[in-house]
Amino acid sequence: MKIILQIILYITLFGINEGTDSRDGYVSQLLKSSNEFRASNRAKSLSYLQEALNYEDKIADTTLLDLYHTAGTIFKDQELYYIALNYFYKCLELQEKINPSESFLIFNNIGGCYFYLNNYVKAREFWGKSIKEFENYSKQYYDTSRKKEGSLIYNNLAVLEKTEGNNVKALNMLKEFKFNNEQLDDTLNIIMAYENIADIYINLCENDTAVDNLRRGIVLAEAIQSEYDLASLFVKLGNIYLEIQPNKDSALFYLQKSFELSNHHNFVDLKLSSSEKLVILFEQENNLEEALYYLHLAKSLSERAINEEIIKKVNQLELGFNEKIKQKERDIDQNKRENLFIIGIVLLLLFSTIISLMLKLQQSKAHKRTAENQLLAKQLEEKNKELTSNALQMLETSETLESTRHGLNKLKLNSSSRNEKTLSHIIANLKRGSQAFNKEEFENIFIKTEKDFYKKLLQKYPNLTKNEIRLCAFLKLNLASKEISAITKQSPHSIVVARSRLRKKLRIERSQSLTVFLNTL
């Protein structure tokens, strides 16, 4: 039975694992598709994610970790920061369980959500934790991709310091960020560092240094053909020459280059920014025709941006509402499963308690029966000893009386006639006394001791006579024919004959012992 249960358990577990592996593979594929469409088609990306979230409670921890991280990232892209935080916190809990050394990545994401929610205290707290964990990680591991991700923490903290007006701290953070990425040979992050460093130098009124950093960024962006970075650097450089360090020719050159790149690649935000700056530039040069052209264009782009922002906000509200409904449904399902699990545990504990109590009751009854049987056995042994002792005492008394009677008979032969009558009277009394054996008392004691024996004997052999029943009792006590003869005052031959008849009635073969047979009843 035990082996069968083990086989069933193994098959069940194997089936569960096989199903889990299959679901993990499917969820991983959904997450891969969701990430592929993050930039190009947010609606499609979210659709894949929501399908994956349906398997939240049916996948292994490693896949669940990836699910939570992807969900947090996508909702963060959608600017649904509270929902993103919910998934990042779940992700953090799992990450601490699976591999705490990589928790800095999740701390960084949580800090980012708080930053966009304008909670700079929380943002600083989590980015501070992230840097500390990242520095510990860097000392132990050399994983280039992880280090590239981790280095962004310095940039994020620099943006926070810049937002709060701490330009020197921000500059130090950005220099650290640039240095790390130079070591990792990550050109895109180096370009970002130059652009952000330029912003800090503008705040510090070091315009030439700002221009120098922007030019270095442009060289790198042209080298790797990063068109968006180029357009962004051009518009910033053009704005410096327009408003901070006036040089209209240079301003026109860089702003038009930014506009052309943005128009060609449909970088709407940069196209709008460069258009607005060109309007200002042409107005200053009194070129109203060009100013009006870019003004109409900027107005159109602005309206489009506003409409897109409105649609985006509506979509965000809709997504947030739908996510809350789905989260509520998942919570309800989870509560149902937890309640069923709790009920199952309670029933199992109740069943176990009942079984345990039943076993204890049976053990108690068994102990009680054992104790009672031991007591009965002891009492039976004492009664058997009493019966045997009485039988032997009666035999001894009978033999003594018989011997005395024979002695008195001999004395009678040699006595006078006057004493003969007295001796005859004494001999007669002795004979009556020897025959006064209280058979009823013996039987009463035996019946009390061996009541089951009498019951079974009469059930199986109802035709036995009273003398045969008495003979069975003597035989059960293992008395010999001579002893039975002395007690019953029957001749030994009569006892042998009675035993033979009893054997026939009981249908016992001659080879079988009567005493052994009677003790088996």
Side-chain angles (χ1 to χ4, degrees), residues 12 49 51 98 103 135 170 173-174 177 186 247 254 273 312 319 340 349 376 398 402 437 458 515 521:
T12 304
L49 173 65
E51 173 67 18
I98 296 171
S103 297
E135 288 174 350
M173 285 288 180
L174 287 170
F177 172 59
D186 188 341
N247 185 329
Y254 287 113
S273 181
K312 183 179 177 182
L319 284 172
L340 287 173
L349 289 173
L376 288 172
S398 179
E402 187 65 25
F437 163 54
L458 290 172
T515 300
L521 290 177

Side-chain angles (χ1 to χ4, degrees), residues 224-237:
I224 63 171
Q225 297 181 340
S226 178
E227 307 297 345
Y228 186 88
D229 285 320
L230 268 176
S232 179
L233 291 163
F234 284 149
V235 77
K236 284 191 176 184
L237 193 54

Side-chain angles (χ1 to χ4, degrees), residues 10 12 78 96 135 139 141 150 220 283 342 358 383 441:
Y10 173 77
T12 304
Q78 300 280 358
E96 293 286 349
E135 288 174 350
K139 292 174 184 176
Y141 306 98
L220 290 176
E283 281 182 343
I342 291 169
M358 289 176 66
K383 291 292 183 182
E441 184 180 351

Side-chain angles (χ1 to χ4, degrees), residues 112-353:
C113 289
Y114 280 122
F115 177 78
Y116 290 118
L117 289 168
N118 297 321
N119 189 338
Y120 298 148
V121 174
K122 279 285 187 181
R124 185 182 296 280
E125 176 190 342
F126 279 94
W127 278 337
K129 287 180 181 178
S130 186
I131 281 186
K132 184 178 178 181
E133 294 291 328
F134 173 63
E135 288 174 350
N136 290 334
Y137 179 87
S138 299
K139 292 174 184 176
Q140 299 178 49
Y141 306 98
Y142 191 80
D143 185 336
T144 303
S145 62
R146 286 286 183 263
K147 286 192 174 185
K148 285 180 180 179
E149 291 180 73
S151 68
L152 286 168
I153 307 165
Y154 294 98
N155 180 72
N156 295 338
L157 262 174
V159 173
L160 175 60
E161 297 293 357
K162 174 190 168 186
T163 304
E164 294 189 329
N166 302 321
N167 291 303
V168 175
K169 284 185 178 180
L171 187 59
N172 290 332
M173 285 288 180
L174 287 170
K175 287 180 178 179
E176 183 71 23
F177 172 59
K178 184 171 78 71
F179 174 77
N180 287 336
N181 284 286
E182 285 172 345
Q183 300 299 310
L184 296 167
D185 197 25
D186 188 341
T187 306
L188 280 173
N189 279 346
I190 296 171
I191 294 169
M192 185 193 301
Y194 278 128
E195 188 171 356
N196 290 334
I197 287 171
D199 289 338
I200 300 298
Y201 279 121
I202 290 171
N203 291 341
L204 294 171
C205 298
E206 297 183 27
N207 300 321
D208 290 337
T209 310
V211 169
D212 181 59
N213 277 278
L214 288 174
R215 290 186 184 279
R216 291 183 182 187
I218 289 170
V219 171
L220 290 176
E222 287 176 337
I224 63 171
Q225 297 181 340
S226 178
E227 307 297 345
Y228 186 88
D229 285 320
L230 268 176
S232 179
L233 291 163
F234 284 149
V235 77
K236 284 191 176 184
L237 193 54
N239 187 56
I240 290 175
Y241 287 124
L242 176 66
E243 297 183 354
I244 301 171
Q245 193 172 321
N247 185 329
K248 292 183 180 179
D249 290 339
S250 295
L252 179 62
F253 174 77
Y254 287 113
L255 288 174
Q256 283 187 329
K257 290 197 72 167
S258 176
F259 178 82
E260 289 168 4
L261 273 174
S262 300
N263 188 46
H264 180 72
H265 295 286
N266 199 29
F267 301 144
V268 177
D269 56 333
L270 296 177
K271 186 177 178 182
L272 173 60
S273 181
S274 56
S275 296
E276 290 173 341
K277 300 300 178 184
L278 284 168
V279 170
I280 296 170
L281 176 63
F282 285 117
E283 281 182 343
Q284 289 177 355
E285 291 191 341
N286 206 26
N287 189 340
L288 299 181
E289 185 177 349
E290 287 292 331
L292 186 61
Y293 169 75
Y294 284 108
L295 179 62
H296 284 303
L297 190 58
K299 183 181 177 183
S300 174
L301 289 171
S302 179
E303 289 174 352
R304 177 181 168 186
I306 290 170
N307 290 334
E308 287 179 353
E309 188 65 24
I310 292 171
I311 293 170
K312 183 179 177 182
K313 291 294 182 184
V314 171
N315 288 336
Q316 285 174 353
L317 290 171
E318 186 180 354
L319 284 172
F321 180 73
N322 290 336
E323 179 60 23
K324 285 179 181 177
I325 291 175
K326 288 183 179 181
Q327 185 61 46
K328 189 174 181 180
E329 289 173 352
R330 285 194 289 268
D331 290 341
I332 291 170
D333 289 340
Q334 182 67 23
N335 288 334
K336 285 181 180 178
R337 283 190 292 272
E338 288 175 356
N339 289 336
L340 287 173
F341 179 74
I342 291 169
I343 291 169
I345 292 294
V346 170
L347 290 175
L348 181 62
L349 289 173
L350 183 62
F351 180 73
S352 301
T353 304

Side-chain angles (χ1 to χ4, degrees), residues 417-470:
S417 57
R418 188 177 65 179
N419 295 327
E420 184 179 351
K421 187 176 180 180
T422 302
L423 287 171
S424 295
H425 182 70
I426 293 170
I427 290 168
N429 287 338
L430 285 171
K431 189 173 182 180
R432 281 195 299 274
S434 66
Q435 292 175 346
F437 163 54
N438 193 349
K439 297 174 184 176
E440 287 76 11
E441 184 180 351
F442 178 83
E443 288 178 4
N444 286 337
I445 295 172
F446 188 85
I447 289 170
K448 286 179 183 178
T449 308
E450 298 284 351
K451 58 182 178 182
D452 288 340
F453 171 74
Y454 269 118
K455 186 178 179 181
K456 291 177 183 178
L457 183 66
L458 290 172
Q459 280 179 350
K460 292 188 74 173
Y461 308 102
N463 296 325
L464 293 176
T465 64
K466 189 174 182 180
N467 287 333
E468 287 171 340
I469 293 171
R470 187 181 295 118

Side-chain angles (χ1 to χ4, degrees), residues 465-481:
T465 64
K466 189 174 182 180
N467 287 333
E468 287 171 340
I469 293 171
R470 187 181 295 118
L471 178 59
C472 287
F474 288 133
L475 292 171
K476 183 170 174 59
L477 291 173
N478 202 23
L479 296 178
S481 296

